[in-house]
Amino acid sequence: MIIRNLTFTAAIIAGGPLLADGHLSEPNVEYGSRPFYLIDQMDDSPLKEKLLSCSAQTPERSLFSIGHRGAPLMFPEHTVESNVAAARQGAGILECDVTFTADQALVCRHAQNDLHTTTNIVVSDLADKCVTGFTPASGDTGAVAECRTSELTLAEFRTLTPKMDAANKAATTAEAYLDGTAGWRTDLFADNTTLMTHAESIEVFRALGAKFTPELKSPSVDMPFNGFSQQDYAQKLVDEYKTAGVPASDVWLQSFNLDDVLYWVENEPEFGKQAVYLDDSYDVEGFDANDPSTYPDTMDSLYARGVRYIAPPMWMLVTLDGDQIVPSAYAKEAKAAGLKIITWTLERSGPLKTGGGWYFQSTADVIDNDGDYYEVLHVLAQDVGIEGIFSDWPATVTYYANCFGLN
């Protein structure tokens, strides 16, 4: 399966077919070496034995495995190629984080203001459109820039070149600023990758045989934006699936903004049934995942307002009982209220030898090697009972899901 950027993009824009002989088709699923590397790192245990026993399994797609911006451990996020890689690894659901351009086109970006770290804009002809132009590092002050999709038309956005999401804060030139990829990621697959609009992502994901989980990103601009309200924004996201003829049952809309979720529940009830509330209660002062009295909303109140899916980060769902990883009070409260749980993001932390950082903060005391990715995943899947998990390298999750029959 070969992708030629210009031909592929032209076919999408023209509404042309996506065919195996020219562009995209459902790929054969393959695991590669990553799952086996992680299993080899595990301490001896019944879980390791179980995972090893599945080594001869036939790889299959799984809805439990969700591509987080595609497969950005090695490919520039939110590109066609990143999502092709995720589909090849068996991700049954793919994600387009959605924001908008100056002419209100919906495009796939993790944030409205991330172009300075995810594209070449600071060295392009569009650099003067950045709300904060590149400023070199000086003394103890790091290099800065801020560039937004809302400052560009769709036509201008299409001229940008994707890159791995990173910046060199010590840079004294714009060119050096772009060279900041973490050592445990890679630029090996960064060339000749293709940006997508949200509508294009629908066609790409459908051609790959995957389902959809778009996230409506918080704007960096004041809303309404040139007459474009938050409700218009939330509705336009849904309308692009309806225009494409995608059934609501194939779509899990996401937002950190509870009002977006409630808008879909009320105004697009078929889509609202699977709308996912991304819970960032961790930003609330005094929040403790193991103390329900600190939650800004009770689980029962969320359910009563029509929320059926909730998605906190992994660390909010697990805690320690001695040296054992167990479900947190938050996880138990959500399940008791009837909420389905999705979580994020496995393999976002890189090597785990130092405890795993932000995503593993509630279990850091027992995290010390990369095999612990599977230890945490196992508790989330079997004890917490999550419906699916985002990963930057979906093959890891797909292998586990197929080994345990989570399809």
Side-chain angles (χ1 to χ4, degrees), residues 356-374:
W358 191 84
Y359 287 93
F360 292 86
Q361 60 187 275
S362 62
T363 55
D365 288 348
V366 299
I367 301 296
D368 60 13
N369 75 80
D370 288 354
D372 289 332
Y373 275 119
Y374 274 128

Side-chain angles (χ1 to χ4, degrees), residues 68-145:
H68 182 240
R69 317 180 204 175
L73 190 67
M74 299 181 77
F75 290 81
E77 64 186 45
H78 290 313
T79 60
V80 173
E81 293 73 14
S82 184
N83 283 285
V84 169
R88 281 177 168 157
Q89 294 173 39
I93 304 173
L94 298 175
E95 179 187 44
C96 168
D97 289 330
V98 177
T99 189
F100 56 85
T101 61
D103 44 357
Q104 299 172 7
L106 301 186
V107 296
C108 299
R109 288 292 89 196
H110 179 245
Q112 191 165 59
N113 63 339
D114 74 357
L115 294 179
H116 50 290
T117 62
T118 62
T119 75
N120 70 329
I121 190 170
V122 297
V123 295
S124 77
D125 293 340
L126 297 172
D128 60 355
K129 293 214 167 189
C130 294
V131 295
T132 301
F134 170 75
T135 304
S138 177
D140 294 333
T141 303
V144 296

Side-chain angles (χ1 to χ4, degrees), residues 14 77 103 207 219 273 289 297 301 349 386:
E77 64 186 45
D103 44 357
K273 289 177 184 177
D297 294 283
S301 72
S349 299
I386 60 173

Side-chain angles (χ1 to χ4, degrees), residues 211-231:
K211 299 184 188 295
F212 314 86
T213 186
E215 180 188 338
L216 197 73
K217 302 301 295 189
S218 297
S220 298
V221 294
D222 291 335
M223 300 293 277
F225 175 76
N226 296 334
F228 190 54
S229 70
Q230 186 68 28
Q231 293 75 23

Side-chain angles (χ1 to χ4, degrees), residues 286-351:
F287 173 80
D288 180 348
N290 286 304
D291 182 356
S293 70
T294 68
Y295 304 171
D297 294 283
T298 68
M299 302 300 176
D300 287 336
S301 72
L302 291 173
Y303 191 92
R305 283 179 279 176
V307 177
R308 295 295 179 267
Y309 284 82
I310 194 165
M314 296 184 301
W315 67 263
M316 285 171 55
L317 295 171
V318 290
T319 188
L320 294 178
D321 181 4
D323 60 358
Q324 298 298 306
I325 302 172
V326 297
S328 66
Y330 179 101
K332 295 174 183 177
E333 291 281 315
K335 296 296 284 188
L339 294 170
K340 297 180 179 180
I341 303 172
I342 296 170
T343 192
W344 42 278
T345 301
L346 202 71
E347 296 188 271
R348 191 74 185 161
S349 299

Side-chain angles (χ1 to χ4, degrees), residues 1-5 8-9 12 18 23-24 69-71 75-88 94-95 108-109 158 162 192-197 200-201 203-205 207-208:
M1 178 166 51
I2 298 174
I3 298 173
R4 301 300 183 194
N5 295 351
F8 171 76
T9 304
I12 288 284
L18 306 177
H23 308 289
L24 296 179
R69 317 180 204 175
F75 290 81
E77 64 186 45
H78 290 313
T79 60
V80 173
E81 293 73 14
S82 184
N83 283 285
V84 169
R88 281 177 168 157
L94 298 175
E95 179 187 44
C108 299
R109 288 292 89 196
R158 290 192 186 280
N192 299 314
T193 52
T194 315
L195 296 172
M196 296 185 294
T197 67
E200 290 165 4
S201 79
E203 296 308 313
V204 170
F205 298 175
L208 294 170

